[in-house]
Amino acid sequence: LQVNIMPNDTISLKCVPFFHSVWVRLNIAAFVLVVLAVLSSAYLLNDVIFPKISQSLATITQDSIRNMNSEISLKLKRAETLSQTLAQTAAVLPLDIEQQKPVFLAQLALPDEHGFIAGGGIWPEPYALDPNKERASVFWGRDANNELIFYDDYNDPQGTGYHNEEWYVPATQLKANETYWSQAYVDPYTLEPMIT
């Protein structure tokens, strides 16, 4: 509807076609602008922003995985070196457990490894240290205060014996200076999750 005011104070009303109305045209223009904004936002998100974010996340993830693998490899190498040191020490020390204990404890009590080394020791072959004693392990595990505590539980004659453990049996088949890593398990005496 168009309203015209004539000079002689008469009002003339004239019908304007619906689509020629300013109000309708403003609404249509606003709707078109909203649709264009939504479409351009969708395009930017799907084709520009998300691919860049995905690429950045993939790069960060790959770098993190590489760093973790490197750190784990370094720690495993240090644990491997420590285990070989314990084995070589056991080979040259007198066959007296009480003389061996302080030496092994000193090797295990490395200050930088208390968060990674949950325990350790040696588990000799049956009757190797004493012809009357099948089990003669020397083992320390960390307590709640992260201190190394001696555990004699693996030597309990009523127990199943360490010679049948998953981590012990494959190790008997290794060549000199080879390393075997056990499956993850919870030590039955320290209750610490570990691999051996």
Side-chain angles (χ1 to χ4, degrees):
L1 182 65
Q2 182 177 355
V3 177
N4 293 328
I5 299 177
M6 307 300 261
N8 58 3
D9 289 333
T10 58
I11 298 176
S12 135
L13 295 175
K14 185 175 166 188
C15 257
V16 176
F18 180 76
F19 288 108
H20 291 273
S21 163
V22 172
W23 178 251
V24 171
R25 287 184 179 185
L26 284 175
N27 282 330
I28 290 173
F31 177 76
V32 168
L33 285 175
V34 167
V35 168
L36 287 175
V38 168
L39 290 176
S40 63
S41 296
Y43 167 75
L44 286 173
L45 285 173
N46 285 331
D47 293 350
V48 178
I49 296 172
F50 284 157
K52 285 187 179 184
I53 291 173
S54 295
Q55 181 61 36
S56 294
L57 288 176
T59 302
I60 290 168
T61 302
Q62 290 170 352
D63 290 346
S64 295
I65 290 171
R66 270 194 295 278
N67 289 341
M68 282 190 291
N69 283 341
S70 177
E71 188 174 330
I72 289 170
S73 294
L74 177 64
K75 287 186 179 277
L76 288 176
K77 190 62 177 170
R78 286 167 39 190
E80 180 180 6
T81 301
L82 177 59
S83 68
Q84 289 175 350
T85 301
L86 288 169
Q88 291 166 358
T89 302
V92 297
L93 285 177
L95 297 179
D96 180 357
I97 292 293
E98 293 309 313
Q99 287 182 348
Q100 293 177 357
K101 280 183 182 179
V103 176
F104 294 134
L105 179 58
Q107 290 177 328
L108 287 169
L110 298 171
D112 295 338
E113 302 298 341
H114 64 81
F116 181 67
I117 304 294
I122 62 163
W123 289 267
E125 289 285 330
Y127 308 104
L129 295 180
D130 183 341
N132 299 319
K133 197 170 180 187
E134 179 185 20
R135 301 173 192 170
S137 74
V138 180
F139 171 68
W140 287 267
R142 295 202 183 272
D143 66 6
N145 297 321
N146 222 4
E147 298 293 324
L148 287 169
I149 303 296
F150 181 75
Y151 287 86
D152 199 34
D153 305 66
Y154 280 107
N155 298 324
D156 182 1
Q158 305 302 320
T160 59
Y162 59 85
H163 302 111
N164 299 314
E165 295 287 341
E166 181 273 334
W167 44 263
Y168 187 90
V169 176
T172 63
Q173 306 302 314
L174 298 177
K175 296 176 185 156
N177 294 322
E178 275 189 316
T179 302
Y180 166 78
W181 294 108
S182 72
Q183 300 292 319
Y185 67 99
V186 174
D187 183 79
Y189 307 113
T190 66
L191 303 179
E192 284 289 322
M194 62 177 69
I195 61 171
T196 295

